[in-house]
């Protein structure tokens, strides 16, 4: 995002924080309704452009949003929307993407209020691994020609009753708007859930499944290194032969047998 959109996004997030003072039902409703607004704006280019038109006064843009969506969404959601459209955005697309992000944050807030954020975060991570392991599924969710609603219905059939309702909502929204591989989309959502809990994520590939004690030891070691609470997500990768590879942001710690062999080979050349 350019500077104008970053500033606008900050103001919109502040409006969301103010709107979510209340029960988890407020956060859940706001998240779902923001997703519905995003769907409308994705489908109606002229409205999307009008709501982000910097040549029109901020009050006029807010009034337009209220005329279109007033009475169709809750007062809390409308307050977030009108604040967002009253800002100056570098691109109309930045406005829509930010509204989607705010919807995600609202739903994750609802999961936190319900005490289910850990489950949602883990399920999103697992979804990323599932689509990586099943190329046909990833293709079905990523192909450009498939309507967004068809992708959402596919996830509904696959996941309904098997994951948290909030996980399903987040996943359906993500695949409906995604272009290309969807595995990284689920990873970003999982990372967002951790970030909202003020934690950072360690993506771990291990040659064998780690025990709970091993996970806790690894998390404690990483917390000492980064001086922040760590969420550890583990994926079994038998090609490593032994050991683990840990990625935290751009940092990679390769303690696998393959990694050691490669380093040995490099030292001999």
């Amino acid at each position: 995002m350019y500077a104008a959109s970053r500033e606008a996004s900050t103001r919109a997030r502040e409006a969301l924080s103010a709107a979510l003072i209340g029960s988890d039902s407020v956060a859940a409703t706001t998240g779902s309704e923001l997703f519905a607004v995003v769907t409308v704006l994705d489908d109606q280019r002229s409205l999307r452009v009008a709501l982000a038109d910097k040549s029109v006064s901020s009050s006029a843009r807010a009034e337009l949003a209220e005329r279109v969506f007033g009475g169709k969404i809750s007062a809390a959601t409308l307050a977030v929307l009108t604040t967002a459209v009253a800002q100056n955005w570098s691109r109309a697309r930045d406005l829509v993407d930010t509204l989607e992000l705010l919807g995600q944050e609202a739903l994750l807030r609802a999961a936190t209020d319900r005490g289910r954020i850990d489950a949602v975060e883990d399920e999103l991570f697992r979804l990323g691994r599932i689509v990586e392991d099943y190329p046909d599924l990833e293709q079905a969710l990523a192909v450009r020609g498939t309507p967004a609603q068809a992708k959402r219905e596919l996830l509904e059939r696959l996941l309904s009753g098997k994951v948290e309702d909030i996980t399903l909502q987040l996943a359906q929204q993500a695949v409906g708007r995604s272009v290309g591989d969807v595995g990284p989309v689920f990873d970003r959502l999982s990372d967002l859930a951790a970030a909202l809990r003020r934690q950072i994520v360690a993506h771990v590939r291990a040659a064998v499944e780690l025990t709970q004690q091993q996970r806790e030891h690894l998390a404690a070691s990483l917390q000492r290194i980064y001086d922040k609470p760590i969420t550890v997500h583990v994926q079994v990768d038998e090609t490593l032969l032994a050991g683990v590879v840990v990625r935290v942001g751009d940092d990679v710690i390769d303690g696998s047998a393959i990694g050691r062999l490669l380093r040995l080979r490099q030292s001999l050349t």
Side-chain angles (χ1 to χ4, degrees):
M1 283 186 184
Y2 292 106
S5 286
R6 288 197 297 272
E7 177 66 20
S9 179
T10 298
R11 300 285 82 79
R13 181 171 283 107
E14 290 171 351
L16 178 68
S17 296
L20 296 189
I21 298 174
S23 67
D24 68 317
S25 62
V26 174
T29 299
T30 300
S32 298
E33 290 178 344
L34 284 172
F35 282 174
V37 170
V38 167
T39 298
V40 171
L41 297 182
D42 277 340
D43 291 341
Q44 298 185 26
R45 181 180 182 278
S46 59
L47 177 60
R48 179 171 73 242
V49 171
L51 290 175
D53 187 353
K54 290 183 287 187
S55 68
V56 178
S57 69
S58 59
S59 59
R61 296 196 302 270
E63 288 170 4
L64 173 59
E66 190 161 0
R67 287 200 305 272
V68 173
F69 294 102
K72 301 174 184 176
I73 56 179
S74 66
T77 306
L78 187 60
V80 175
L81 176 60
T82 53
T83 298
V85 301
Q87 310 307 310
N88 290 327
W89 298 88
S90 304
R91 304 180 307 164
R93 179 55 56 187
D94 291 343
L95 165 62
V96 182
D97 289 347
T98 296
L99 290 173
E100 179 182 43
L101 175 60
L102 296 181
Q104 292 167 349
E105 292 182 358
L107 286 173
L108 290 170
R109 165 70 179 273
T112 300
D113 292 344
R114 296 173 184 176
R116 302 302 299 164
I117 188 64
D118 288 349
V120 170
E121 181 186 333
D122 185 66
E123 288 170 352
L124 290 167
F125 173 76
R126 297 298 170 191
L127 282 174
R129 307 291 71 74
I130 289 170
V131 296
E132 285 180 357
D133 293 340
Y134 293 90
D136 289 345
L137 174 59
E138 178 149 30
Q139 183 178 6
L141 294 174
V143 65
R144 288 177 179 270
T146 304
Q149 186 57 33
K151 297 179 184 180
R152 293 175 179 131
E153 290 173 356
L154 173 59
L155 279 183
E156 175 79 29
R157 293 195 298 272
L158 292 174
L159 301 178
S160 182
K162 301 176 183 176
V163 298
E164 300 284 332
D165 290 345
I166 287 175
T167 301
L168 180 57
Q169 286 187 68
L170 290 166
Q172 286 179 307
Q173 176 68 19
V175 301
R177 299 192 77 223
S178 67
V179 177
D181 295 344
V182 298
V185 175
F186 293 136
D187 286 345
R188 285 194 293 273
L189 285 170
S190 180
D191 289 354
L192 177 61
L196 292 176
R197 293 191 293 142
R198 302 186 184 279
Q199 295 193 339
I200 57 177
V201 177
H203 294 278
V204 179
R205 288 188 296 130
V208 297
E209 187 66 57
L210 300 184
T211 65
Q212 185 61 34
Q213 183 177 8
Q214 288 172 323
R215 288 171 182 256
E216 292 173 356
H217 178 72
L218 178 59
S221 298
L222 291 170
Q223 183 165 333
R224 286 194 295 272
I225 294 172
Y226 290 95
D227 196 27
K228 289 183 179 180
I230 296 281
T231 293
V232 174
H233 289 312
V234 180
Q235 176 185 7
V236 175
D237 183 352
E238 295 177 353
T239 65
L240 297 179
L241 301 182
V244 299
V245 176
V246 180
R247 177 174 60 81
V248 180
D250 294 330
D251 297 341
V252 177
I253 305 169
D254 190 345
S256 67
I258 288 294
R260 292 194 293 271
L261 288 172
L262 288 175
R263 289 192 292 274
L264 176 61
R265 178 183 297 174
Q266 290 169 355
S267 69
L268 296 175
T269 57

